[in-house]
């Protein structure tokens, strides 16, 4: 499903109003949904609504009015003067007939539930002073919080905490989720996100054309590779994984098994001669072929049946790996570059980007983690707070000409054309040795089946997260390939494919 920036949400709102609805009608829907969620969440006892000076506060005031009508005791605190409210929020305030408590921490008390309607998508600067004190006091109170639209203090476009932010049990948001609901740390502040319809027609999206999506099957289901009943393994591509030296061959084997489990028809490990015996002894369905140099790799890949290559896990950092990367890009299969393949270009990323842009087959995926990312994009480390993770990955994709996948609990995949997907299905135990190697292999396996690079990266990330959920806590990288069949079955169920 699409993810919106606050600016895009404002457009959705304006297009709906231009189509004949009133802004206040949207607010009434929003406030009623919030009240409904509050009824479900709140134990018996009073409910405190903390309202801010904009339309997020307006939603809160409508919810307060509705909750009283539903028989609840409701207290309201408002930041600023009632008379200072404008537009729809002023209309909402006229609906609220009760008193307003002073905007002080002492007013919080110990309600059954707090409805956080302080700031939503209009947050445009760090919270300070009174608002900051209230947010911190709410977080310390231990009272469950229902956030309206966004937990106050979370930037809807970036997920950043602007000074301080509410930690909500649940968040009710409208029409479509916002990017800040998925990117960290925002996601951690939202609790469960409830998406409700407030009367905005999905057709407005035709005009807005959002370019960010949640990474879930809705996004790529038609591209998911399903073997044909009349097909054979040669029709499902042949992935090559480049192995490192004798002492570090395990990573390539993990990747190779990932490629096979992702559905590649055939997988070959291109192994240095001195590691051949080790690789061959430890592999069964995966084949092994001696490849020491970039020239040898290039010669192997001249056979176009090898249609996808994964390089990086355990590859070693330096000129030898650089050479193999350039040979793979020149030969024209789809390519996924990870780990040492990326680090080998630290300090000279332009050489890599040039090679990517001049490849005859522009199906290239880069899969850095936050440590590797600034080795290629030195101005965009996560220490640089000027850009969100989404923006950083988009710029990286545009600059490199490749699909870029930046790993993390909120893995972002972006294509050079601006499309981007944010994942939220990875469990914390997925962060374990070797799990990135398996991801590289899964993506290589999908590329081998001719899934386009952006979709291959998205599907790979999603399957990897699902496989980890399936394996559960205590996961080691080897488990991921073994739980992948269950993930395939889940996708087949969604596709309605029998097995
Ligand atoms: N766009 C839409 O389609 C709809 C929006 N609605 C609500 O309207 C909200 C957006 O309303 P607004 O644009 O009025 O924005 P908000 O209500 O989120 O906040 C804007 C107000 O807060 C102030 N403010 C911003 N940052 C501050 C800070 N750090 N410290 C102190 N004051 C600060 C601004 O000066 C302004 O007065 C949404 O989050 C949603 O809850 C709903 O009513 C339904 C429809
Ligand atoms: K809020």
């Amino acid at each position: 499903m699409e993810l919106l920036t606050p600016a895009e949400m404002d457009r959705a709102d304006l297009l709906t109003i231009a189509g004949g609805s009133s802004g206040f009608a949207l607010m009434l829907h929003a406030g009623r949904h919030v009240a409904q969620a509050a009824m479900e969440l709140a134990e018996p006892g009073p409910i405190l609504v903390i309202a801010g000076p904009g339309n997020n506060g307006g939603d809160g005031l409508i919810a307060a009015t509705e909750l009283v009508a539903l028989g609840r005791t409701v207290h309201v605190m408002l930041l600023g003067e009632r008379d200072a409210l404008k537009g729809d929020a002023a209309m909402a305030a006229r609906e609220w007939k009760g008193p307003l408590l002073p905007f002080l921490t002492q007013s919080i008390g110990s309600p059954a539930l707090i409805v956080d309607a302080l700031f939503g998508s209009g947050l445009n600067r760090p919270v300070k002073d009174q608002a900051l004190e209230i947010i911190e006091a709410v977080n310390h109170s231990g009272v469950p919080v229902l956030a309206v639209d966004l937990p106050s203090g979370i930037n809807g476009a970036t997920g950043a905490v602007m000074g301080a932010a509410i930690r909500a049990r649940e968040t009710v948001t409208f029409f479509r989720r916002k990017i800040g609901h998925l990117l960290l740390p925002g996601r951690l502040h939202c609790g469960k996100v409830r998406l409700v319809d407030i009367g905005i027609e999905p057709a407005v999206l035709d005009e807005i054309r959002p370019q960010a999506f949640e990474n879930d099957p809705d996004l790529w289901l038609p591209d998911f590779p399903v073997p044909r009943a009349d097909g054979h393994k040669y029709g499902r591509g042949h992935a090559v994984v480049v192995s490192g030296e004798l002492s570090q061959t395990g990573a390539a084997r993990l990747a190779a098994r990932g490629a096979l489990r992702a559905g590649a028809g055939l997988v070959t490990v291109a192994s240095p001669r001195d590691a051949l015996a080790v690789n061959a002894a430890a592999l069964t369905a995966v084949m092994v072929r001696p490849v020491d140099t970039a020239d040898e790799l290039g010669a192997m890949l001249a056979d176009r049946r090898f249609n996808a290559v994964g390089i990086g896990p355990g590859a070693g950092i330096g000129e030898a790996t650089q050479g193999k990367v350039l040979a793979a890009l020149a030969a024209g299969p789809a390519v996924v570059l990870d780990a040492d393949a990326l680090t080998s270009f630290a300090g000279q990323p332009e050489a890599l980007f040039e090679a990517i842009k001049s490849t005859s087959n522009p199906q290239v995926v880069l899969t850095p983690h936050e440590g590797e990312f600034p080795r290629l994009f030195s101005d965009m480390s996560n220490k640089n707070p000027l850009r969100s993770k989404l923006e950083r990955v988009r710029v990286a994709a545009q600059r490199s000409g490749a699909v870029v996948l930046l790993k993390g609990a909120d893995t972002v995949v972006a294509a050079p054309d601006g499309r981007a997907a944010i994942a939220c299905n990875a469990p914390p135990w997925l962060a374990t040795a070797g799990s990135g190697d398996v991801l590289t292999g899964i993506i290589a396996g999908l590329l081998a089946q001719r899934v386009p690079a952006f979709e291959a990266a998205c599907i790979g990330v999603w399957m990897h997260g699902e496989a980890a959920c399936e394996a559960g806590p205590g996961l080691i990288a080897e488990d991921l390939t073994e739980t992948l069949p269950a993930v395939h079955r889940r996708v087949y169920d969604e596709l309605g494919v029998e097995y």
Side-chain angles (χ1 to χ4, degrees):
M1 197 172 250
E2 304 85 357
L3 301 171
L4 303 184
T5 62
E8 287 169 335
M9 183 63 192
D10 283 349
R11 277 199 71 205
D13 186 26
L14 291 175
L15 288 166
T16 304
I17 292 168
S21 301
S22 74
F24 189 61
L26 298 178
M27 187 177 277
L28 282 174
H29 282 299
R32 285 175 188 153
H33 277 295
V34 171
Q36 196 53 49
M39 291 297 284
E40 289 170 28
L41 204 57
E43 299 288 334
I47 294 174
L48 172 67
V49 176
I50 302 180
N55 287 340
N56 195 252
D59 295 347
L61 289 162
I62 296 293
T65 307
E66 188 72 14
L67 284 165
V68 168
L70 293 166
R72 299 295 300 230
T73 302
V74 181
H75 303 297
V76 178
M77 308 167 42
L78 176 69
L79 175 61
E81 297 301 318
R82 191 193 273 250
D83 293 343
L85 295 174
K86 296 192 189 75
D88 297 334
M91 285 169 77
R94 285 197 282 278
E95 300 289 310
W96 173 247
K97 309 297 180 205
L100 295 173
L101 300 179
F103 198 84
L104 297 169
T105 53
Q106 296 88 306
S107 300
I108 294 173
S110 48
L113 180 76
I114 294 173
V115 175
D116 158 34
L118 194 50
F119 307 117
S121 59
L123 181 79
N124 56 12
R125 54 192 186 272
V127 290
K128 299 195 290 205
D129 308 328
Q130 278 175 299
L132 180 100
E133 275 174 38
I134 292 288
I135 288 172
E136 287 180 340
V138 167
N139 286 345
H140 281 120
S141 71
V143 177
V145 178
L146 174 66
V148 179
D149 199 13
L150 285 156
S152 297
I154 294 295
N155 182 317
T158 67
V161 171
M162 310 268 284
I166 290 286
R167 279 196 172 265
R169 178 78 57 89
E170 269 191 39
T171 297
V172 182
T173 193
F174 315 119
F175 181 52
R176 288 290 183 275
R177 276 181 293 172
K178 315 300 164 319
I179 286 155
H181 291 128
L182 275 83
L183 287 182
L184 297 188
R187 193 177 90 210
L188 306 176
H189 284 255
C190 291
K192 187 177 148 208
V193 178
R194 197 189 274 238
L195 184 61
V196 299
D197 173 11
I198 55 169
I200 298 177
E201 290 297 332
V204 299
L205 296 173
D206 298 343
E207 200 140 328
I208 298 169
R209 296 179 163 277
Q211 290 293 295
F213 305 87
E214 180 182 350
N215 186 354
D216 73 0
D218 275 353
L219 180 62
W220 41 254
L221 207 53
D223 288 298
F224 190 85
V226 177
R228 289 159 40 133
D230 60 350
H232 52 65
K233 64 186 176 187
Y234 300 104
R236 289 160 57 199
H238 193 154
V240 174
V241 175
V242 176
S243 167
E245 297 300 322
L246 185 58
S247 60
Q248 39 184 346
T249 56
R253 285 197 300 276
L254 279 171
R257 197 166 172 83
L260 207 51
R261 284 282 194 211
L266 297 152
V267 179
T268 293
V269 167
S271 168
R273 280 178 178 75
D274 68 355
L276 212 51
V278 172
N279 274 323
L283 292 167
T284 39
V286 173
M287 295 171 284
V288 187
R289 186 158 157 160
V291 170
D292 277 302
T293 64
D295 285 348
E296 275 181 298
L297 183 65
M300 173 181 175
L301 298 176
D303 179 345
R304 300 305 296 268
R305 285 175 297 184
F306 297 113
N307 65 336
V309 180
I311 311 182
I317 298 164
E319 280 181 19
T321 296
Q322 261 192 17
K324 287 178 185 163
V325 170
L326 297 176
L329 289 169
V335 178
V336 48
L337 301 178
D338 183 36
D340 293 351
L342 304 172
T343 303
S344 291
F345 287 90
Q348 42 184 318
E350 288 306 329
L352 176 62
F353 304 162
E354 278 307 309
I356 292 170
K357 287 174 189 161
S358 47
T359 175
S360 58
N361 180 9
Q363 304 298 322
V364 180
V365 183
L366 312 182
T367 62
H369 56 53
E370 285 284 10
E372 290 152 354
F373 187 80
R375 295 178 194 149
L376 296 181
F377 309 100
S378 59
D379 54 329
M380 292 194 294
S381 98
N382 57 347
K383 313 278 183 293
N384 178 354
L386 297 177
R387 289 185 168 118
S388 73
K389 182 166 179 173
L390 178 64
E391 291 166 317
R392 290 188 294 127
V393 183
R394 274 190 171 140
V395 172
Q398 215 196 5
R399 197 181 290 172
S400 65
V403 167
V404 177
L405 180 168
L406 180 53
K407 292 182 250 195
D410 52 355
T411 295
V412 174
V413 177
D417 64 12
R419 281 175 302 156
I422 306 173
C424 58
N425 67 335
W429 54 86
L430 180 53
T432 182
S435 90
D437 306 334
V438 178
L439 177 63
T440 299
I442 295 173
I443 295 170
L446 293 163
L447 290 169
Q449 293 167 88
R450 298 172 186 81
V451 179
F454 177 71
E455 285 75 13
C458 291
I459 295 172
V461 168
W462 184 87
M463 292 186 84
H464 191 239
E466 292 298 298
C469 293
E470 185 74 30
L475 165 103
I476 60 171
E478 282 87 338
D479 299 334
L480 289 167
T481 45
E482 307 323 293
T483 51
L484 273 178
V487 179
H488 279 280
R489 287 195 293 274
R490 214 171 300 153
V491 181
Y492 278 34
D493 287 342
E494 285 213 31
L495 282 166
V497 176
E498 286 188 20
Y499 51 89

